[in-house]
Amino acid sequence: MATKLIRFDWAIKKLLRHKANFTILEGFLTELLKFEVTIENVLEGEGNKEAAEDKYNRVDILVKSSVGELMLVEVQNESQVDYFQRMVFGASKLITEYIKEGEPYSQIKKVYSINIVYFGLGQGTDYVYEYDGKFIGIHNGDILQPTLTQKKEFNVEQIKDIFPKYYVLKVNNFDDVAKDTLDEWIYFLKNSEVKESFKAKGLQEASEKLKEDTLTDEEKIAYKRFQENRRIE
């Protein structure tokens, strides 16, 4: 039987920033990106600041991995027609903010922009979209590749490995049938539940640490206010 848990968008604003809970977010990122992610620290993102009206329309968490990648996880509840442009801005801002003046461009960090949206962004029936950018020849149709020197210098196999990587998770499109471990995470993002049969990395920790009855009295008040704002919206 599944236990109802705290919504993920409130958890990343309040709970997943603590080092003791890094395993939950590491699990989500590992399942989505398909490689092991270890969080070095959580940095301040734009949406981390407390809004005066306390409505939490958009929250984000900025993660630095143990090998230096920057991972911006954003949750957006309210429909935003220019959200694609916002994704471009967010990744570009990270690139410019995390390279020091005078450093060579080779020091630019790999950026992953992970967007969890609870509204109809664009037209498409899938629930997980991955932006896979390539440089394609307009005459020959070949894909531009890095030189052997670039592969060795930057530890990449393809040019697209240098550029920001975008993911869009259209949570409401998910049909609640979990066919793999990533689906188990999508199920949790949509329903705030973890089934006992789920095996995805980080979800069992989520099922233990994100129970509402584990919150402090102050956190319970804040979470109830958050839920009420969601119902009003």
Side-chain angles (χ1 to χ4, degrees), residues 202-214:
L203 278 185
Q204 290 308 313
E205 289 84 352
S207 68
E208 292 300 320
K209 296 183 178 181
L210 299 185
K211 293 177 181 176
E212 189 171 350
D213 59 12
T214 63

Side-chain angles (χ1 to χ4, degrees), residues 4-201:
K4 199 72 173 178
L5 303 173
I6 299 163
R7 278 179 56 113
F8 184 76
D9 47 358
W10 192 83
I12 70 169
K13 192 170 186 71
K14 295 291 186 180
L15 304 178
L16 301 186
R17 304 175 187 280
H18 305 319
K19 193 173 182 64
N21 294 331
F22 278 4
T23 52
I24 298 173
L25 195 58
E26 286 171 344
F28 168 63
L29 293 171
T30 295
E31 296 289 1
L32 176 65
L33 303 179
K34 305 302 182 189
F35 61 83
E36 198 74 24
V37 173
T38 303
I39 296 173
E40 179 182 296
N41 58 4
V42 171
L43 310 167
E44 279 301 311
E46 181 186 346
N48 299 351
K49 304 177 182 68
E50 296 290 346
E53 69 276 16
D54 199 25
K55 288 194 176 181
Y56 305 94
N57 289 332
R58 177 183 61 80
V59 292
D60 62 46
I61 186 167
L62 177 58
V63 169
K64 185 178 181 182
S65 76
S66 59
V67 295
E69 303 120 326
L70 297 173
M71 300 174 183
L72 180 61
V73 183
E74 298 212 33
V75 182
Q76 174 74 15
N77 286 287
E78 209 168 70
S79 182
Q80 186 175 344
V81 70
D82 60 353
Y83 191 79
F84 288 124
Q85 287 88 340
R86 190 196 143 64
M87 289 165 53
V88 175
F89 175 81
S92 302
K93 192 164 181 278
L94 285 185
I95 291 170
T96 57
E97 284 185 348
Y98 288 92
I99 185 170
K100 297 176 183 177
E101 187 174 352
E103 280 189 328
Y105 294 124
S106 60
Q107 296 304 304
I108 287 176
K109 306 297 185 187
K110 176 70 175 182
V111 173
Y112 294 87
S113 172
I114 298 155
N115 301 271
I116 304 168
V117 299
Y118 290 86
F119 64 96
L121 177 62
Q123 296 186 58
T125 59
D126 209 319
Y127 50 94
V128 180
Y129 288 88
E130 175 184 11
Y131 179 76
D132 189 22
K134 301 181 182 75
F135 289 99
I136 302 175
I138 63 173
H139 299 102
N140 300 331
D142 63 323
I143 297 173
L144 189 63
Q145 300 289 349
T147 65
L148 292 176
T149 300
Q150 289 170 325
K151 287 182 178 183
K152 182 178 179 181
E153 179 72 18
F154 307 128
N155 192 29
V156 298
E157 287 300 318
Q158 302 178 71
I159 288 177
K160 68 176 185 178
D161 296 334
I162 298 171
F163 286 79
K165 187 70 174 285
Y166 297 91
Y167 291 87
V168 173
L169 280 60
K170 298 179 63 171
V171 176
N172 293 339
N173 280 9
F174 183 58
D175 63 3
D176 289 342
V177 179
K179 296 179 283 293
D180 55 32
T181 49
L182 177 58
D183 280 0
E184 292 175 359
W185 259 101
I186 305 297
Y187 183 95
F188 167 62
L189 294 177
K190 181 179 178 182
N191 300 293
S192 301
E193 294 178 357
V194 174
K195 294 184 178 181
E196 291 181 1
S197 60
F198 284 180
K199 304 296 183 185
K201 187 177 175 66

Side-chain angles (χ1 to χ4, degrees), residues 209-223:
K209 296 183 178 181
L210 299 185
K211 293 177 181 176
E212 189 171 350
D213 59 12
T214 63
L215 298 176
T216 65
D217 290 341
E218 184 180 354
E219 287 171 337
K220 286 178 180 177
I221 292 171
Y223 185 57

